Amino acid sequence: MSLPGRVPPLLHSLARLLPEQAGDAVSWSGRRWWWAGRLDVEGLALGSLQMLAAAVAAYASSTGRGTRISFTSDGAAAAFASYAHVRINNRQAQGFAPLSGFRPTADGWVRLHANYPHHERALFTALGAEHPGEVDAAVRGRTSAEVEAVVTAHGGLAAEVRTPQAWADSEQGRVLQAEPWLRLELDAVDPALPPRPGNAGPLDGLRVLDLTRVIAGPSGSRLLGALGADVLRVDPPAIPELEDQYVDTGFAKRSAVADLAGAEARRRLRALLAQADVVLTAYRGGSMARLGLDPASLRAEYPQLAVVSLDAWGDRGPWAERRGFDSIVQAATGISYLYGGAGEDGGWRPGALPVQALDYATGLGMSAAALALVAARRQGVAGSTHLSLARTAQELLALPGPPPGTEPAALPGPALRSGFGDYGSLTYVPPPLQINGHQLEYPWLPPRYGSADLAWR
């Protein structure tokens, strides 16, 4: 394997499933450092992409196909900033909502998240505010811990900006310290061969039910679709996805909307699960358990499934049922503190990673784990994997930072693609992998949200 600079060994997270030689078919090239911030965000990006590439190679080998996979650091950087690069009818994708961001409190700082309308409503209710102009005053009159507590209690999203040590000393931080980045739970099953691929890519024939939202899960599953898998994303009608966010992650998959609490939708979903190879979930554990879609229930009813689940804070500990996004997790775990600096007024204010690396790295980890689990069925092993954004944050915090004096380096601009589809003219970042020397491409642009039926291709 070509390693121009040491990369964090995230591949070891799947050592129980991947053969020792899985990484031999993977190579990468380019700069080792380019963002050069306080933390090794580059290593997290390169290491997680390396892990996915090794899992793809192992899966292809299990189907009788030898596959060489390569990638570059500029491709990895572009993939981890795909939302910043996408253009929809020549406009940028909408960024954070005005109420989302850092706010000073009576004793420090909090980060708020109000991109979704229901979270904005919860924020107003929690703070007793009637319009955006009242939010700042309501936050300034409370401590950071009070804002976090009251907004969370009302179903909104707010996180106190902690130091890394304060997070490590917290009860949830201590719970996650004992967790691996990818927690595997494996069972012995009857050996089974993965689907034999056709000509649509190394994952042709693989069926992936995508019950994820926002960025992490969907960004990983779009790569599975690019590699040939039949990926069907299912969203609830009550909380539709933000359109720009959907477009950025909706490549190479189909989109359905269904109320899984309804009897008919549940029946059709179970028919899908009976024929699926992988199910990806990214909702809070309690909500999935109420639908019988938690990992334990799925493994009991569908032992052939590779079940990969994601949440914000982990599925154990006092925050297991709490909502969260990449930016909120950065604030709570100490990352925002490390990236803080002088604000416009000359005083200190928190900062953020150059990209939403927790989302993208965790999404790659989900997809890598899914492929490793499907390939392991050949040896009579099946099971589930759990990841969380907060555990990915702790992985990043534990990595050695860039060497002293490392400066940000310019990378070549991404080789963007363009096309015209259901959402008009799109400019976008292609997948960050080369397969047997050929650039991987998305086979189709995002279809209209909710346009697919609950059925396999």
Side-chain angles (χ1 to χ4, degrees):
M1 188 187 307
S2 173
L3 293 175
R6 184 171 176 78
V7 173
L10 301 184
L11 187 58
H12 295 175
S13 300
L14 290 175
R16 293 170 62 189
L17 293 176
L18 295 179
E20 290 185 10
Q21 67 274 21
D24 293 346
V26 179
S27 62
W28 72 274
S29 60
R31 291 184 179 271
R32 174 60 178 83
W33 309 97
W34 56 91
W35 289 309
R38 289 288 302 274
L39 300 174
D40 189 5
V41 185
E42 297 91 338
L44 186 68
L46 295 169
S48 56
L49 192 54
Q50 180 188 68
M51 184 172 66
L52 174 64
V56 174
Y59 178 90
S61 178
S62 73
T63 64
R65 283 189 173 185
T67 300
R68 293 179 295 104
I69 304 174
S70 58
F71 59 92
T72 63
S73 54
D74 53 303
F80 269 59
S82 67
Y83 193 75
H85 293 297
V86 70
R87 296 292 182 270
I88 306 169
N89 295 314
N90 298 316
R91 67 167 178 83
Q92 285 186 295
Q94 181 179 342
F96 284 105
L99 284 177
S100 296
F102 296 108
R103 296 288 192 284
T105 66
D107 66 345
W109 290 81
V110 293
R111 179 140 193 173
L112 308 178
H113 195 289
N115 285 13
Y116 288 87
H118 58 296
H119 292 151
E120 180 184 74
R121 290 192 297 271
L123 181 65
F124 281 141
T125 301
L127 297 176
E130 295 183 359
H131 56 78
E134 296 179 347
V135 169
D136 283 350
V139 170
R140 281 186 181 275
R142 295 173 169 90
T143 67
S144 300
E146 288 170 344
V147 174
E148 179 182 277
V150 71
V151 173
T152 300
H154 283 80
L157 289 114
E160 177 182 359
V161 175
R162 293 168 172 80
T163 66
Q165 190 60 53
W167 172 254
D169 292 340
S170 70
E171 187 174 354
Q172 191 64 33
R174 292 194 301 271
V175 168
L176 290 178
Q177 291 290 349
E179 289 273 311
W181 182 43
L182 283 75
R183 190 182 74 226
L184 295 169
E185 298 180 7
L186 306 177
D187 298 313
V189 295
D190 292 335
L193 296 178
R196 187 161 185 83
N199 296 319
L203 305 188
D204 188 17
L206 190 75
R207 288 171 168 170
V208 179
L209 184 62
D210 183 2
L211 305 179
T212 70
R213 289 170 58 80
V214 197
I215 295 176
S219 68
S221 63
R222 70 183 171 187
L223 274 177
L224 300 182
L227 290 159
D230 182 10
V231 181
L232 177 62
R233 171 175 168 169
V234 182
D235 281 86
I239 45 173
E241 184 61 277
L242 301 174
E243 183 173 286
D244 288 4
Q245 206 156 258
Y246 165 74
V247 170
D248 178 53
T249 60
F251 292 85
K253 66 181 82 169
R254 295 177 297 123
S255 165
V257 171
D259 182 2
L260 299 183
E264 177 60 17
R266 292 277 292 280
R267 183 191 67 78
R268 298 185 70 182
L269 181 77
R270 298 204 172 279
L272 287 173
L273 288 167
Q275 298 180 1
D277 299 292
V278 173
V279 61
L280 308 174
T281 73
Y283 292 82
R284 289 178 298 142
S287 62
M288 300 307 286
R290 287 189 290 273
L291 296 172
L293 298 175
D294 56 292
S297 298
L298 287 169
R299 289 170 64 193
E301 192 168 353
Y302 308 99
Q304 86 285 357
L305 268 179
V307 181
V308 185
S309 59
L310 161 72
D311 49 48
W313 307 104
D315 58 355
R316 301 169 182 175
W319 287 26
E321 292 296 310
R322 186 172 292 203
R323 296 170 176 84
F325 295 110
D326 182 307
S327 59
I328 294 293
V329 173
Q330 287 188 44
T333 58
I335 292 173
S336 296
Y337 176 83
L338 292 178
Y339 277 76
E344 294 180 359
D345 62 357
W348 184 90
R349 66 174 288 120
L353 295 176
V355 293
Q356 293 193 248
L358 309 183
D359 271 331
Y360 289 104
T362 308
L364 291 172
M366 292 182 77
S367 293
L371 295 181
L373 283 168
V374 175
R377 282 164 45 187
R378 187 183 185 98
Q379 281 73 46
V381 175
S384 62
T385 309
H386 173 265
L387 304 90
S388 71
L389 297 179
R391 184 58 186 82
T392 301
Q394 292 190 180
E395 195 75 13
L396 176 59
L397 286 163
L399 297 177
T406 302
E407 297 292 334
L411 290 175
L416 300 175
R417 302 291 189 267
S418 60
F420 193 89
D422 287 348
Y423 288 90
S425 174
L426 297 183
T427 301
Y428 58 93
V429 174
L433 299 178
Q434 292 86 46
I435 308 296
N436 294 326
H438 300 285
Q439 172 64 45
L440 183 65
E441 302 287 352
Y442 292 119
W444 66 83
L445 302 182
R448 183 61 58 181
Y449 182 75
S451 60
D453 195 9
L454 289 178
W456 293 117
R457 209 162 52 199

